[in-house]
Amino acid sequence: MTPERTRLAASLRELRARTGLSLAALATKTAFSKSSWERYLNGKSLPPRQAVQELCRLAGEPDGRCLALWEIAESEWSGRGKEPAAAPPAATPSPTAATTTTAGPATGTGPGTTTGASAAAAPAPASRLAGHRSVVAVAVLASVCAMAVGVVAVAVALLRPYADGASRASEQAPRYPGPSPSDPRCRGAACEGRDPMGMRCAASPVTLATRHTAGGAWLEVRYSKECGTSWARMWGTRVGDRLEVTAAGRVRGAEIRTAADADAFVYTPMTVTAPGTTIRTCFRPAGAGGLECFTSVTR
């Protein structure tokens, strides 16, 4: 199974665990059978886009991240993400020998004489040898010319520009692995204070802790090994709720400012952490509710 499909399957399993539904229950609440969900969640087959959307809906998760993972996996599975294979060069036809003639007997005309123009007298042995050398020279020259034409034809085919101005030569040049579309956009200190979703650090994070607050909000603390950062997110909130994470003296926070925020996942900016870092997470509800804090350790 490819890394793209592995990430998608892991995200779907996380969503399914959050719903608390069995495979049979998923089948009753969606348009897909129990056996289909078993294949989708184990990465045995690529789920339809609609299945990903329905699972996100049941888990209360915005479908943007999972659909992005699905697009990458579907592109790899269908072959759209692979480099197009270069067409093999056209074979150059080999030169064929010239026409043969039938010579009659050396003395005058007879049953073996060629039809058409009058037959010439048989050449002397020296003349025949010189003619044979001439034929060999012509054949060698023709072969050399054919090879040269073939080389030129291949070069023209390789260098012929595509519609976008690129060339086949540039396409067939050695390619070194570049960043995958799902790779993080930052690492380490470059991620400090950045959005985990926008920087693609939230594609396959480790969930360090999950809390259900007294007021009904949900909190999660997450850690990305690839990016070397941690952050928190909240949902089921109210306008005015605030969430903060503190690690190594750095504080990153987020606040619910609008009703739209309250209906979605809201993330704190990232802060750089290493394995073994202690993270303090605090939730301050709107109104008169008390501050709720807890700690977790990156691993």
Side-chain angles (χ1 to χ4, degrees):
M1 187 165 56
T2 62
E4 292 80 5
R5 289 175 62 179
T6 299
R7 289 185 179 182
L8 176 62
S11 296
L12 296 181
R13 289 194 297 271
E14 180 183 345
L15 292 177
R16 180 243 175 170
R18 188 181 303 162
T19 66
L21 298 174
S22 65
L23 294 179
L26 274 179
T28 61
K29 292 180 177 293
T30 65
F32 305 94
S33 66
K34 176 182 176 181
S35 60
S36 295
W37 278 115
E38 190 274 334
R39 293 193 303 272
Y40 302 157
L41 295 176
N42 289 330
K44 296 178 181 177
S45 62
L46 184 71
R49 182 185 180 93
Q50 181 185 353
V52 176
Q53 291 175 311
E54 290 192 21
L55 185 56
C56 288
R57 174 181 57 80
L58 292 173
E61 171 86 12
D63 60 15
R65 180 177 71 88
C66 284
L67 287 181
L69 292 176
W70 179 86
E71 288 285 353
I72 296 170
E74 193 277 334
S75 176
E76 180 277 334
W77 178 82
S78 64
R80 292 187 292 109
K82 296 180 180 179
E83 294 291 338
T92 304
S94 300
T96 57
T99 57
T100 60
T101 61
T102 303
T107 57
T109 61
T113 305
T114 57
T115 59
S118 299
S127 301
R128 186 179 300 133
L129 181 58
H132 177 70
R133 288 176 177 172
S134 299
V135 171
V136 172
V138 170
V140 172
L141 181 59
S143 299
V144 173
C145 291
M147 292 178 60
V149 170
V151 172
V152 172
V154 172
V156 170
L158 292 176
L159 295 175
R160 186 173 68 244
Y162 288 152
D164 61 357
S167 67
R168 290 182 184 267
S170 62
E171 178 184 345
Q172 293 190 343
R175 292 181 178 272
Y176 299 95
S180 166
S182 59
D183 283 347
R185 292 178 173 174
C186 67
R187 286 181 171 83
C191 297
E192 183 68 40
R194 309 292 292 275
D195 174 27
M197 295 293 287
M199 293 295 103
R200 295 177 181 166
C201 293
S204 55
V206 176
T207 299
L208 301 178
T210 303
R211 290 290 186 275
H212 194 196
T213 69
W218 285 92
L219 315 176
E220 277 186 347
V221 182
R222 293 187 147 191
Y223 168 62
S224 169
K225 295 181 180 178
E226 292 83 358
C227 295
T229 57
S230 296
W231 64 92
R233 68 175 182 173
M234 54 182 167
W235 69 96
T237 53
R238 296 176 297 172
V239 175
D241 288 350
R242 181 169 178 81
L243 179 64
E244 290 184 348
V245 291
T246 303
R250 296 181 299 272
V251 180
R252 299 295 178 186
E255 184 175 345
I256 305 299
R257 300 183 182 276
T258 65
D261 289 345
D263 290 336
F265 288 88
V266 174
Y267 297 76
T268 70
M270 294 184 287
T271 187
V272 176
T273 54
T277 301
T278 298
I279 303 171
R280 177 178 172 83
T281 305
C282 291
F283 176 77
R284 186 183 300 278
L291 184 67
E292 300 180 41
C293 297
F294 58 95
T295 60
S296 50
V297 179
T298 58
R299 57 181 186 276

